[in-house]
Amino acid sequence: MTGSSHELFDFIAAELAKFVAGEDENSHPFPVRQRELGFTFSFPVRQTSVASGTLIKWTKGFSIEDAVGEDVVGELTKAMERVGLNMRVAALVNDTIGTLAGGTYYNPDVIAAVILGTGTNAAYVERANAIPKWRGPLPKSGEMVINMEWGNFRSSHLPLTDYDHALDVESLNPGEQIFEKIISGMYLGEILRRVLLKMAEEAEFFGDTVPAKLKIPFILRTPHMSAMHHDTSPDLKVVANKLKDILEINNTSFKMRKVIVELCDTIATRGARLSAAGIYGILKKLGRDAVRDGEKQKSVIALDGGLYEHYTKFSECMKSTLKELLGEEISDDVVIIHSNDGSGIGAALLAASHSQYVEVEES
Ligand code: BGC
C-alpha cells in the first residue's frame, strides 16, 4: 500500500504470472494468442479510453506517490513485460463499473452498482443527454455509465463529529473521501477506537489508566467491531474477548460491554443509513423513486463489498432504511442483489467484449 509504483505493479504482474502458470493447459482455447485481461482498478481514474486511464489520487490508505498521474494500464503492461507475461489489458474498469457490467449481464434490470467494502462508491446508467459534462458525440445507445466516486462526496449538510474531523485530519488524504470516511469498512472500527479512547481519557471508562493499545490508530478493525456488534451471548463474551485480545483490556463489566455494543450500533447505523441515502439519491435522479404514470418498473441494484457481505447488521439497516425512504408503494420494486466478486467477472466480460480477436467468418 505504500512504496513505489514499480513495486506495486510488479507484485500484480507476479501474481498474474503465478495464476497463468497454474492454469490447466487445456483451459486456454487459443494457446498461441496473447491473453487479454480485464483490469479492475478500484481508485479514481481519469479514463482516457477503454484500456487506459491516469490515476487521479489514491484512497483507502494507499500512498504510492509516483503512480499518481500515470497511466495505470501502461504501468501494468510494463510490469507484465518485465516478468515475461504475454498479456494485454483489454479493459480498465473501476470496481463499481465491473459490478454494474457483471450485474447487467445476468440481470437486465440492474441499473446501478454499489460497493460497500474497504471503501465505498457507486456507478449507474445515465441518459447520455443528461450529462452536461459530456462534450463528445452521443453514444448510439443513448446511455452512458457514470462512476460517481461518491466516496468523495462532502456537504455542509453532512453532519460530522469531532471524531470524524480528527480521523480526517490525521488520515493519509485529509479533506478527501469524507463520505467514505463515515461509511466504509476501512474507517468504522477506527471511529469506534477514537470514541473509546476519548471515553477512557475523559471519563475513565476503563478505570484510572488509559489502555495503551487503545492509542494505536487502526488497531480496532471493522470486522472486530462487527463481531462485537453481533454478539448474542448472554454475558457478551465476544465483546470481552475482543477487548482482551486486541486491546489488552481485562475485567470489563457487563455494563461496559453493553455500552460498547451500543456504540457499535450508533456508528454502523449512521454509515448504513447514509449509504441508503446515497442509493436513494441515484433512484431519485433516475426518476425511479416513485411510480410514474401508473407504470411499475423494477430497479435492481447490484451490491458488493466485504462490509455489505459480512456486516449483517449494517446491510440489514441499509436495506430497511432504503425501504423507509422509498415508501411502501415503490419499495418492493427496488431490489438489491448481492453480486459476489461482480467486479472481477464484469471486468472479464468487458475485456471479452473489447477483444481484439474478432471471429472472422470464412466466406
Ligand atoms: C475509490 C473508488 C472505489 C471504491 C470502492 C474508493 O475509495 O475511490 O474508485 O470504487 O473505493 O472500492
Side-chain angles (χ1 to χ4, degrees), residues 77-233:
T77 306
K78 281 188 268 171
M80 290 193 299
E81 280 163 11
R82 284 196 289 273
V83 295
L85 253 188
N86 185 23
M87 272 190 165
R88 180 187 82 92
V89 174
L92 167 67
V93 277
N94 185 262
D95 52 354
T96 53
I97 301 293
T99 306
L100 185 59
T104 10
Y105 182 76
Y106 293 111
N107 184 339
D109 291 330
V110 168
I111 52 144
V114 174
I115 304 287
L116 291 167
T118 308
T120 183
N121 190 12
Y124 74 104
V125 183
E126 182 60 280
R127 292 141 296 158
N129 60 11
I131 307 174
K133 205 173 163 183
W134 179 248
R135 294 271 174 270
L138 292 181
K140 273 197 228 97
S141 66
E143 290 178 333
M144 207 176 272
V145 289
I146 298 199
N147 165 9
M148 296 174 72
E149 285 297 335
W150 84 10
N152 199 31
F153 174 68
R154 72 175 308 164
S155 155
S156 55
H157 299 289
L158 202 58
L160 298 177
T161 65
D162 289 348
Y163 308 105
D164 302 317
H165 285 296
L167 181 152
D168 175 45
V169 167
E170 291 163 34
S171 72
L172 285 172
N173 52 351
E176 311 263 8
Q177 303 293 110
I178 301 300
F179 201 49
E180 177 159 283
K181 284 175 181 155
I182 54 182
I183 289 182
S184 78
M186 167 138 186
Y187 303 101
L188 296 184
E190 171 64 5
I191 299 173
L192 176 63
R193 182 196 67 88
R194 285 171 179 273
V195 177
L196 290 176
L197 179 61
K198 181 103 161 182
M199 286 164 60
E201 284 171 346
E202 296 191 1
E204 298 193 349
F205 186 70
F206 296 108
D208 48 16
T209 52
V210 177
K213 291 262 166 161
L214 202 50
K215 295 185 186 155
I216 304 173
F218 291 97
I219 192 170
L220 202 54
R221 298 184 38 245
T222 305
H224 303 140
M225 168 176 162
S226 169
M228 294 196 285
H229 196 173
H230 290 95
D231 190 355
T232 49
S233 64

Side-chain angles (χ1 to χ4, degrees), residues 19-327:
F19 172 78
V20 171
E23 211 184 13
D24 178 358
E25 283 275 306
N26 305 323
S27 67
H28 195 27
F30 309 106
V32 289
R33 279 188 188 173
Q34 186 183 39
R35 284 179 172 81
E36 293 180 300
L37 187 69
F39 182 21
T40 306
F41 189 71
S42 310
F43 300 94
V45 157
R46 190 157 285 118
Q47 189 105 18
T48 40
S49 76
V50 68
S52 64
T54 54
L55 172 62
I56 298 174
K57 60 173 190 183
W58 290 109
T59 57
K60 299 177 283 200
F62 278 72
S63 172
I64 303 169
E65 277 326 296
D66 60 343
V68 176
E70 296 299 321
D71 176 9
V72 291
V73 174
E75 294 301 295
L76 180 58
T77 306
K78 281 188 268 171
M80 290 193 299
E81 280 163 11
R82 284 196 289 273
V83 295
L85 253 188
N86 185 23
M87 272 190 165
R88 180 187 82 92
V89 174
L92 167 67
V93 277
N94 185 262
D95 52 354
T96 53
I97 301 293
T99 306
L100 185 59
T104 10
Y105 182 76
Y106 293 111
N107 184 339
D109 291 330
V110 168
I111 52 144
V114 174
I115 304 287
L116 291 167
T118 308
T120 183
N121 190 12
Y124 74 104
V125 183
E126 182 60 280
R127 292 141 296 158
N129 60 11
I131 307 174
K133 205 173 163 183
W134 179 248
R135 294 271 174 270
L138 292 181
K140 273 197 228 97
S141 66
E143 290 178 333
M144 207 176 272
V145 289
I146 298 199
N147 165 9
M148 296 174 72
E149 285 297 335
W150 84 10
N152 199 31
F153 174 68
R154 72 175 308 164
S155 155
S156 55
H157 299 289
L158 202 58
L160 298 177
T161 65
D162 289 348
Y163 308 105
D164 302 317
H165 285 296
L167 181 152
D168 175 45
V169 167
E170 291 163 34
S171 72
L172 285 172
N173 52 351
E176 311 263 8
Q177 303 293 110
I178 301 300
F179 201 49
E180 177 159 283
K181 284 175 181 155
I182 54 182
I183 289 182
S184 78
M186 167 138 186
Y187 303 101
L188 296 184
E190 171 64 5
I191 299 173
L192 176 63
R193 182 196 67 88
R194 285 171 179 273
V195 177
L196 290 176
L197 179 61
K198 181 103 161 182
M199 286 164 60
E201 284 171 346
E202 296 191 1
E204 298 193 349
F205 186 70
F206 296 108
D208 48 16
T209 52
V210 177
K213 291 262 166 161
L214 202 50
K215 295 185 186 155
I216 304 173
F218 291 97
I219 192 170
L220 202 54
R221 298 184 38 245
T222 305
H224 303 140
M225 168 176 162
S226 169
M228 294 196 285
H229 196 173
H230 290 95
D231 190 355
T232 49
S233 64
D235 52 352
L236 297 175
K237 208 174 225 58
V238 178
V239 180
N241 286 340
K242 290 282 170 216
L243 293 171
K244 199 158 41 171
D245 299 344
I246 300 154
L247 301 170
E248 291 174 5
I249 299 173
N250 298 303
N251 307 324
T252 47
S253 70
F254 179 67
K255 217 170 140 190
M256 282 160 78
R257 294 177 214 159
K258 256 181 86 175
V259 171
I260 293 174
V261 175
E262 264 175 54
L263 284 176
C264 296
D265 196 60
T266 306
I267 296 165
T269 301
R270 179 182 70 159
R273 288 184 71 84
L274 284 170
S275 38
I279 298 174
Y280 181 68
I282 298 176
L283 293 165
K284 211 171 155 155
K285 175 75 171 60
L286 294 175
R288 286 171 178 263
D289 59 322
V291 179
R292 309 265 160 197
D293 311 319
E295 253 182 61
K296 286 211 162 221
Q297 54 181 160
K298 250 212 160 48
S299 306
V300 180
I301 321 273
L303 241 138
D304 201 10
L307 181 65
Y308 177 76
E309 201 178 338
H310 302 298
Y311 202 145
T312 312
K313 281 189 189 282
F314 184 101
S315 33
E316 292 302 324
C317 174
M318 187 275 284
K319 285 189 265 192
S320 64
T321 308
L322 187 60
K323 276 197 186 312
E324 179 190 320
L325 290 168
L326 287 164

